[in-house]
Amino acid sequence: MDYVQKDLDYIWHPCSQMKDYETFSPIVIEKGEGLALYDVDGKKYLDAVSSWWCNLFGHSNPRINEALIQQVQNLEHVIFANFSHKPVIELCHRLHTYLPEGLDKFFFTDNGSAAVEAALKMSFHYHAQIGDSQRKKFMALTDAYHGETIGALSVGDLDLYTEVYKPLMIDVIRVQGPDCYRCPYRLDRASCQGECFEKVEESLAQIGEEVAAFIVEPLVQAAAGMKIYPPIYLKKLRQACDKYGIHLIADEIAVGFGRTGKMFACEHAGISPDMICLSKGLTGGYMPMAIVVTTNKIYEAFYADYKEGKAFMHSHTYSGNPLGASCALAVLDIFEKENILEELPERNAIFNKKVKATFQDYPYVGEIRQIGFINAVELVEDKATKKSFDSSLRVGYEIYKIAVSKGLILRPLGNVLYFNPPLTLTESEMDEMLAIAKESVENYFNR
Ligand SMILES: *Cc1c(COP(=O)(O)O)cnc(C)c1O
């Protein structure tokens, strides 16, 4: 079969202008192993982006494979209303010990956007339930990304995804968020005390009483171009939410599970949100599963005799799927048995050093920012003024095509090249990835 032609005949790919596929056809992958993916012709690609940030410990990981095989032979799925199963119970029990203090109740969905929707509904409903029904609004930062369904899209702010749907969206109070590379206060990362948080304070002073929840991507606005901001900002946000009685929803879908060098990004700030949204790394990149973990306080506002009508009636068919839960358990096993979290800081630092050595001297590299294994290289037209390349040039996309032809999956966000590799990345893999990345960038600029 001509797989490429058949793909083009039938498939509408996500996040793509399909016409681009006329000149850059879909790559049909047959096999994955560790950092590498192999296409049907046997060509190898290094997956520097963890297949959209979800693969944690390499493709076709033997431990996760084994867990999945064991589970599928016992139970593939069961209705999750009134029924339960061992893997999901054990998962909550074990994951609980890793989570920030006070997050005690687990609500399952089957993808990240759905978890965000559930969290928003839960917060709104909570306030209605306790008679605080003037709190109907959500607050979120500029450049936020929280998923693609209408509610999740509404709290997000990237025009690329949201522009045409604005008439459908719920009312969200947008606050100017941190922009550390182009800091309007002209501070650098070392001396910053989260001064720009005053924008949030100003907004809250005006309408804090009407806000149900503030949703935020802790420390890294990932889809915005791996924009990294300091923990102090998050600390201030927690304090402000407490002051105004607002729920803090931490969307750790992208940054949870070791991506920032700690299990959860909130740990860097020493804060606990009222809800945390988890997905992507949760199952190691194996199965679609997501969780909203929340407090007993929120849970209890829904707990009443049936006739009071207080239940949270939200549901998804594949909630708490046993295959997903068993993969998630294998992920925790790997974290524990392979001392991943203990070894991350040192390995993260090694990678960052290599990324800097590779890219920092180019005139078109504006900033290299890093947290955990996430390393972003922002390309600019003018380093002094930090002027961006015009988006019509599609600089990132052009580099992406070159890199793919050389066997590296980079997939830049606009003009930001980034690496978000699996946590098992070895030093030789770092070198291999960076050599291709360097060549690709040079090829582009020396055309
Ligand atoms: C990916 C992502 C989502 C959406 O998750 P999906 O599973 O793609 O729906 C939400 N928030 C953040 C921060 C993400 O990175």
Side-chain angles (χ1 to χ4, degrees), residues 66-79:
E66 189 51 35
L68 188 55
I69 292 165
Q70 291 293 325
Q71 184 54 42
V72 80
Q73 285 167 346
N74 274 319
L75 176 70
E76 80 304 331
H77 188 60
V78 60
I79 177 174

Side-chain angles (χ1 to χ4, degrees), residues 52-53 110-114 116 145-149 152 217 220 222-223 251-255 279-280 289-290:
W52 261 345
W53 320 342
D110 47 18
N111 66 73
S113 306
V116 168
Y145 179 86
H146 298 289
E148 309 274 350
T149 52
E217 294 161 271
V220 187
D251 176 353
E252 292 228 16
I253 291 167
V255 293
S279 190
K280 292 200 167 102
M289 170 175 263

Side-chain angles (χ1 to χ4, degrees), residues 335-408:
F335 268 111
E336 288 160 20
K337 294 195 172 125
E338 298 181 18
N339 292 323
I340 302 286
L341 292 167
E342 293 71 19
E343 290 174 10
L344 269 182
E346 193 189 332
R347 296 175 47 243
N348 289 163
I350 293 172
F351 186 48
N352 180 237
K353 214 167 136 197
K354 287 178 187 286
V355 172
K356 280 190 187 150
T358 309
F359 289 109
Q360 70 187 359
D361 292 335
Y362 290 114
Y364 39 76
V365 170
E367 185 185 50
I368 297 175
R369 42 184 181 261
Q370 173 256 343
I371 187 166
F373 266 137
I374 299 174
N375 280 261
V377 179
E378 180 154 347
L379 303 173
V380 289
E381 191 179 299
D382 185 332
K383 204 163 174 159
T385 62
K386 305 182 181 177
K387 183 173 186 286
S388 299
F389 286 105
D390 195 276
S391 63
S392 65
L393 294 171
R394 302 184 80 188
V395 173
Y397 180 68
E398 294 301 325
I399 293 172
Y400 162 65
K401 287 199 289 188
I402 299 169
V404 165
S405 73
K406 294 175 184 294
L408 176 70

Side-chain angles (χ1 to χ4, degrees), residues 200-326:
V200 176
E201 274 162 355
E202 284 164 16
S203 260
L204 286 175
Q206 282 171 19
I207 42 166
E209 317 288 306
E210 294 171 38
V211 178
F214 199 117
I215 183 163
V216 71
E217 294 161 271
L219 302 194
V220 187
Q221 290 189 299
M226 300 295 168
K227 287 177 69 184
I228 299 169
Y229 62 88
I232 190 161
Y233 191 91
L234 210 53
K235 238 182 229 163
K236 289 186 174 187
L237 181 57
R238 175 70 275 183
Q239 285 162 4
C241 286
D242 284 343
K243 180 173 162 197
Y244 287 93
I246 295 169
H247 290 146
L248 177 60
I249 302 173
D251 176 353
E252 292 228 16
I253 291 167
V255 293
F257 296 93
R259 294 291 183 198
T260 66
K262 293 188 188 286
M263 194 61 158
F264 298 109
C266 284
E267 289 171 38
H268 292 273
I271 62 139
S272 289
D274 299 283
M275 296 178 212
I276 195 168
C277 299
L278 306 174
S279 190
K280 292 200 167 102
L282 170 64
T283 65
Y286 269 63
M287 301 292 294
M289 170 175 263
I291 320 179
V292 181
V293 195
T294 190
T295 60
N296 279 316
K297 186 176 174 194
I298 291 175
Y299 175 80
E300 275 155 19
F302 293 78
Y303 199 87
D305 286 331
Y306 181 77
K307 61 178 188 300
E308 291 182 45
K310 287 191 163 179
F312 189 55
M313 296 305 286
H314 191 99
S315 64
H316 294 287
T317 309
Y318 284 98
S319 298
N321 175 264
L323 302 177
S326 63

